[in-house]
Amino acid sequence: MHKVTKAASTALLLVIIVVCLIYLKSILVPLILAAIFYLIVVEVRTMISGMISLKEHKLPIWLQNLMASLTIFGILFVVVKIMSVSIQNLSESMSHYDGNLQLMEDKLNALFDINITNSLNKMVGDTNFTSLLRTVLSSVTGLFGNAFTILLYIVFLLLEESGFGDKLKAMYPKDSDYVQVMKLLTRVSNLVSSYLTLKTFVSLITGVLSYLVLVFVGIDAPFFWAAIIFILNYIPTIGSLIATLFPAFFIIIQTAEPTLGLVVLLAVGAIQLIVGNFVEPKLMGNSLNVSSLVVLIALAFWGTIWGVIGMILSVPITVLMIIIFGEFESTRRIAILLSETGNIGAPQIRTNLDDDFFFDETVQN
């Protein structure tokens, strides 16, 4: 009876957590994105500190943070500015796309001797492409809507950094406990930072190569579509597929030439295939140790509750779960289940912290 009660309590708590994740989305998503940007700032300031040395003295941490932040936000400002111009150009060109869509439709009707409009209407009903494209563009623009909130979080994370060690020391007075907790936090930070750095590098390669292809075929706003490919490449599995279909479909609408769509589909698809199956595994190896099935489930779960941002964050969140769950005996089996190989290493944190976890008796029994 006690086991049933404990299992029911655990299930109820999980439901409460999921409900909180859904209803606190507007708070949690900017905070998580700010934490990711904070890790990026730490990576960049480490690079800057390594490149700039003042003989026996290091640069002050506030100066490193300032230089890293200005570098990152300078790059983001340029990218957002170019994206804004691209979106404006697309909006101004929309009036031509419906005409091209009708022209392509007439070509297909003549080629296959069918009425493609009636066939499509039976499946999806009447669709106004211009309205659809405006919706997509407004959604992309909305990604920058929380920029100020995220920036505010980043500033306070950087300010809190200086006193965090003292707080942690007060929480764990024993030196051994303090060292073990610091090891865990350092491991989490290093692995997530490594994933984000390598994934960004791989996405950048994919985006640049795709940009060259899109410029060659003459697509409108090639930087915009290359940026979409770059962003969607963070989404496991389906991201690369969607990123390939978007520009291929758009070039058909723009030019009313299905052949160009096929060229883009094959060229960008080949880039995604080569980078995703050869370059990315070579750089990342098996360091993430996440089951492919778990990645798909995490993608569906986080995508359902947080949308596109949830899909992008699904892998880092899963990696965090494996690392943290693997540090406690009461949740270690869950970490093994989520991992790819089942080998998650030995726990590095003290075992008497296990009592703090609600999984304790349920999992062990």
Side-chain angles (χ1 to χ4, degrees):
M1 185 65 182
H2 179 69
K3 292 182 180 180
V4 174
T5 304
K6 197 71 175 180
S9 300
T10 300
L12 179 61
L13 187 54
L14 289 174
V15 171
I16 293 173
I17 291 173
V18 172
V19 171
C20 290
L21 288 174
I22 295 172
Y23 283 97
L24 296 178
K25 173 185 174 181
S26 59
I27 298 174
L28 294 176
V29 170
L31 182 59
I32 292 175
L33 291 175
I36 289 175
F37 275 108
Y38 164 76
L39 292 176
I40 295 173
V41 169
V42 172
E43 286 289 312
V44 174
R45 84 181 182 199
T46 302
M47 294 173 56
I48 292 175
S49 178
M51 291 186 298
I52 303 175
S53 58
L54 301 176
K55 295 182 179 180
E56 298 178 355
H57 303 284
K58 290 185 178 181
L59 290 175
I61 193 67
W62 67 267
L63 183 57
Q64 294 181 34
N65 285 334
L66 179 62
M67 294 174 66
S69 300
L70 289 177
T71 301
I72 294 170
F73 286 108
I75 294 173
L76 287 177
F77 175 80
V78 173
V79 171
V80 171
K81 189 67 176 177
I82 298 175
M83 285 279 285
S84 300
V85 173
S86 298
I87 291 174
Q88 183 179 355
N89 292 338
L90 282 177
S91 300
E92 293 172 353
S93 303
M94 281 182 187
S95 59
H96 305 291
Y97 299 149
D98 284 332
N100 289 340
L101 188 60
Q102 183 63 48
L103 179 61
M104 186 187 67
E105 179 185 313
D106 294 339
K107 288 182 179 180
L108 292 175
N109 288 341
L111 181 63
F112 296 104
D113 193 25
I114 60 172
N115 191 325
I116 193 170
T117 302
N118 291 339
S119 300
L120 289 176
N121 284 342
K122 289 179 182 178
M123 292 185 292
V124 298
D126 294 325
T127 301
N128 186 302
F129 176 74
T130 302
S131 299
L132 178 62
L133 185 56
R134 287 184 189 278
T135 302
V136 173
L137 294 180
S138 63
S139 299
V140 173
T141 306
L143 291 176
F144 304 106
N146 291 323
F148 178 75
T149 304
I150 295 172
L151 177 61
L152 202 60
Y153 279 139
I154 295 172
V155 170
F156 279 95
L157 282 172
L158 291 172
L159 292 176
E160 282 287 319
E161 182 185 16
S162 59
F164 180 74
D166 295 333
K167 293 181 181 179
L168 202 60
K169 186 68 175 177
M171 292 171 61
Y172 300 98
K174 290 178 60 177
D175 289 340
S176 58
D177 294 344
Y178 173 78
V179 169
Q180 288 172 336
V181 172
M182 283 300 297
K183 283 182 179 179
L184 173 62
L185 294 177
T186 302
R187 184 184 170 200
V188 170
S189 174
N190 289 343
L191 192 54
V192 174
S193 298
S194 176
Y195 168 77
L196 291 173
T197 302
L198 292 176
K199 191 65 177 178
T200 300
F201 180 67
V202 169
S203 299
L204 186 61
I205 293 175
T206 306
V208 170
L209 293 177
S210 300
Y211 174 79
L212 296 176
V213 170
L214 297 176
V215 169
F216 178 77
V217 299
I219 196 172
D220 286 345
F223 184 87
F224 171 80
W225 297 110
I228 294 296
I229 291 172
F230 172 83
I231 294 171
L232 290 177
N233 204 55
Y234 283 91
I235 301 176
T237 311
I238 66 170
S240 57
L241 176 61
I242 298 174
T244 303
L245 293 177
F246 269 1
F249 178 73
F250 182 80
I251 192 69
I252 295 175
I253 302 301
Q254 175 190 325
T255 63
E257 290 291 340
T259 305
L260 281 178
L262 183 61
V263 169
V264 172
L265 185 66
L266 293 176
V268 176
I271 292 171
Q272 294 278 7
L273 187 67
I274 294 171
V275 174
N277 290 278
F278 296 99
V279 178
E280 186 171 343
K282 188 72 173 178
L283 291 175
M284 291 190 175
N286 297 320
S287 59
L288 295 180
N289 191 23
V290 183
S291 166
S292 299
L293 177 61
V294 170
V295 169
L296 290 176
I297 296 173
L299 182 66
F301 174 77
W302 293 106
T304 300
I305 65 173
W306 284 353
V308 175
I309 296 297
M311 293 181 178
I312 294 174
L313 296 175
S314 61
V315 172
I317 291 175
T318 305
V319 170
L320 285 178
M321 291 172 61
I322 292 175
I323 294 174
I324 295 173
F325 287 171
E327 296 298 328
F328 305 93
E329 288 299 328
S330 56
T331 55
R332 190 170 174 79
R333 293 177 186 176
I334 300 177
I336 293 173
L337 186 64
L338 296 177
S339 68
E340 181 178 19
T341 63
N343 181 16
I344 59 175
Q348 298 179 15
I349 197 168
R350 58 194 176 98
T351 56
N352 58 349
L353 288 179
D354 294 343
D355 296 334
D356 295 336
F357 280 75
F358 64 88
F359 294 101
D360 191 19
E361 293 183 21
T362 306
V363 175
Q364 289 181 355
N365 293 326

